[in-house]
Amino acid sequence: MAVQISELTISRLSLYLRLLNELEGKGVKTVSSKELAQAFGLNAALIRKDLAHFGDLGVRGLGYVVKTLQRELRSILGLDRNLKVAIIGAGNLGLALADYPGFRKEGFEIVALFDNFPSKVGKESRRGVSIYDIQELKNIAHCDGIGIAAIAVPEKSAQNVVNTVVEAGIRAILNFSPGTLRVPEHVKLKSVDLTVSLEGLSFYLARESRNEGV
Amino acid sequence: MAVQISELTISRLSLYLRLLNELEGKGVKTVSSKELAQAFGLNAALIRKDLAHFGDLGVRGLGYVVKTLQRELRSILGLDRNLKVAIIGAGNLGLALADYPGFRKEGFEIVALFDNFPSKVGKESRRGVSIYDIQELKNIAHCDGIGIAAIAVPEKSAQNVVNTVVEAGIRAILNFSPGTLRVPEHVKLKSVDLTVSLEGLSFYLARESRNEGV
DNA sequence: TTTTGTGAACTAGTTCACAGCT
DNA sequence: AGCTGTGAACTAGTTCACAAAA
């Protein structure tokens, strides 16, 4: 089972799961790759290939049993194990992430915020996530078994914070700071770059108005 | 010039520009594709191909002139035209986005927040972005020339909000709500799905611990 | 000599099309 | 009959390797 599964496949599995949750709520029993494909604007074969990586999850002639596939995807994505998340940076964005309802839904638990700004330490977010000094990260990460750190600090301190997070033994990082960050081989870093996203849209608008003139 | 340029290339152009800004600040005059490649962990040929889409931007034997390339990339990405952005949804996330310093840096201007919650309308974000009723979007979008809408509303109202945004004549949307959204052909939608990002990391951790047992 | 710009080769990702199971 | 699972074909994206320019 040394087959490397692509990031693109993994992202799509999350989407499939979200729809399955919805279907399950509506009492739908089975769903075909064709129906899933339509819902996401994807090719049905792609969905079957994505799922086939993890065994014969479907039933020929019938499709996929919603509850079964839901359970399988949860297990594949590791959502059957109440994963704990720490947010580093108690600025506007960090506080918003700490209280973001979408994170809590699929079994993630936001256990703590961290900051190095003394006046913030000891306070908490609106929904009651406590803010600790970043110095305490290592201790708390070990005691509480934090699996993922989300980083929402200014660009200039981001690499330092990443180093601290790595030293604390955390092996998965969701980064919201701009700029390129280095992590060791065994740590998984995923970056959400808001500036890059916005500039992509700007490019689209700029090209559009250029083409109007042609 | 009907060549379609890939989203991946566009995202990388943003990264290149960010580094060029930094180099320019340090007074560096030229930079080679090799140096850029090292900074981002990419292949040098890829960077040359990305840039070659837009003409002969480099100088053989020398590399790229920092200031020239910076200006070119700004123009390519449409950042030479002070683009106006509206944030829809004045919850925690919307307010955080409205005050996000990274957006202001490259010439984007956050001009307004919108919400349908009466008690929020009339207030403003910490940095002074005013909150308007979503009903007023069409008017303000036209008067102020809003180019991009960022959507940070709960999943269940997201499609409605997108429809309102499209009706207001906005043709580029950055979406932070989970779920699949439909937009007409002429509108560009980019989604940042926080749940999908987090679940991607969870998958990585889950697979790791499975493999430990093998 | 250095480094770009680019055809050719390669790798990854998607779609087609159909055998095989229910 | 219907739908999965999958080899084969295709498309997109990246890297190699080198001619051409400064």
Side-chain angles (χ1 to χ4, degrees):
Chain A
M1 233 272 213
V3 223
Q4 183 57 34
I5 286 145
S6 107
E7 296 269 321
L8 296 169
T9 294
I10 304 309
S11 300
R12 286 190 300 261
L13 294 183
S14 289
L15 298 180
Y16 306 158
L17 176 57
R18 187 184 285 153
L19 185 58
L20 287 168
N21 290 341
E22 207 181 300
L23 292 176
E24 205 261 338
K26 286 182 185 161
V28 177
K29 297 297 175 205
T30 66
V31 67
S32 67
S33 60
K34 196 177 161 187
E35 291 168 307
L36 288 170
Q38 261 156 0
F40 299 113
L42 299 172
N43 182 289
L46 180 60
I47 289 172
R48 296 201 296 278
K49 278 240 158 100
D50 280 343
L51 298 174
H53 281 113
F54 305 96
D56 290 12
L57 269 34
V59 186
R60 286 165 200 242
L62 184 72
Y64 299 87
V65 175
V66 171
K67 281 194 178 173
T68 312
L69 187 55
Q70 197 184 20
R71 189 170 54 243
E72 285 292 336
L73 287 180
R74 285 218 179 101
S75 150
I76 291 164
L77 291 170
L79 302 174
D80 49 358
R81 48 175 84 187
N82 179 263
L83 205 44
K84 293 185 178 166
V85 179
I87 315 273
I88 324 288
N92 282 324
L93 187 57
L95 288 165
L97 292 173
D99 289 349
Y100 183 66
F103 282 167
R104 289 151 198 284
K105 269 189 194 158
E106 268 303 345
F108 294 105
E109 191 190 342
I110 314 287
V111 294
L113 275 153
F114 291 89
D115 207 294
N116 65 353
F117 207 66
S119 70
K120 289 182 178 168
V121 174
K123 301 235 169 64
E124 55 183 39
S125 77
R126 289 187 193 181
R127 288 188 169 223
V129 178
S130 300
I131 304 173
Y132 299 92
D133 192 296
I134 182 77
Q135 306 275 336
E136 295 190 61
L137 177 62
K138 198 167 190 169
N139 261 319
I140 296 174
H142 278 111
C143 297
D144 283 17
I146 289 171
I148 298 179
I151 297 187
V153 301
E155 179 165 12
K156 64 177 193 307
S157 38
Q159 183 63 61
N160 273 335
V161 165
V162 166
N163 297 346
T164 307
V165 164
V166 169
E167 272 172 48
I170 293 171
R171 295 197 310 280
I173 299 175
L174 183 57
N175 171 53
F176 291 89
S177 300
T180 313
L181 298 173
R182 304 271 167 191
V183 291
E185 194 68 26
H186 69 282
V187 174
K188 180 77 176 174
L189 172 70
K190 230 183 166 96
S191 282
V192 174
D193 196 315
L194 300 179
T195 308
V196 169
S197 303
L198 209 53
E199 293 184 4
L201 290 172
S202 173
F203 170 81
Y204 171 83
L205 292 174
R207 193 194 39 173
E208 223 180 27
S209 62
R210 270 197 295 275
N211 287 356
E212 271 165 22
V214 177
Chain B
M1 233 274 213
V3 223
Q4 184 57 34
I5 286 146
S6 109
E7 296 268 321
L8 296 168
T9 293
I10 304 308
S11 299
R12 287 190 299 261
L13 294 183
S14 289
L15 298 180
Y16 305 157
L17 176 57
R18 188 184 283 153
L19 184 58
L20 287 169
N21 289 341
E22 207 181 301
L23 292 175
E24 205 262 336
K26 285 183 185 162
V28 177
K29 296 298 175 205
T30 66
V31 66
S32 68
S33 60
K34 195 176 162 189
E35 290 168 309
L36 287 169
Q38 262 158 358
F40 299 114
L42 299 172
N43 181 288
L46 179 59
I47 289 172
R48 295 201 296 277
K49 279 241 157 95
D50 281 344
L51 298 175
H53 280 114
F54 305 96
D56 290 13
L57 270 34
V59 185
R60 287 168 199 240
L62 185 72
Y64 299 87
V65 176
V66 170
K67 281 194 178 172
T68 311
L69 188 55
Q70 197 184 20
R71 189 172 53 242
E72 285 293 336
L73 287 180
R74 285 218 178 102
S75 150
I76 291 164
L77 292 170
L79 302 174
D80 48 358
R81 49 176 83 186
N82 178 263
L83 205 43
K84 293 183 178 169
V85 179
I87 315 274
I88 325 288
N92 282 324
L93 187 56
L95 288 166
L97 292 173
D99 290 349
Y100 183 66
F103 282 167
R104 289 151 197 282
K105 268 188 195 161
E106 267 304 342
F108 295 105
E109 190 189 344
I110 315 287
V111 294
L113 275 153
F114 291 89
D115 207 294
N116 65 352
F117 206 65
S119 70
K120 287 182 179 169
V121 175
K123 301 236 169 65
E124 55 182 40
S125 76
R126 289 188 193 181
R127 286 188 170 225
V129 178
S130 300
I131 303 173
Y132 299 92
D133 192 296
I134 181 79
Q135 306 275 338
E136 296 191 61
L137 177 63
K138 198 167 190 168
N139 262 319
I140 295 174
H142 278 111
C143 297
D144 283 17
I146 289 171
I148 299 179
I151 297 188
V153 302
E155 179 165 13
K156 65 177 191 309
S157 39
Q159 184 64 61
N160 273 335
V161 166
V162 166
N163 297 347
T164 307
V165 164
V166 169
E167 272 172 46
I170 292 170
R171 296 197 310 280
I173 298 175
L174 183 56
N175 171 53
F176 291 89
S177 300
T180 312
L181 297 173
R182 303 271 168 193
V183 290
E185 194 70 25
H186 68 282
V187 175
K188 180 77 177 174
L189 173 70
K190 227 183 167 98
S191 283
V192 173
D193 197 316
L194 300 178
T195 308
V196 168
S197 303
L198 209 53
E199 292 183 4
L201 290 171
S202 174
F203 170 82
Y204 171 84
L205 293 173
R207 193 194 39 173
E208 223 181 27
S209 63
R210 272 197 294 276
N211 287 356
E212 271 165 21
V214 177

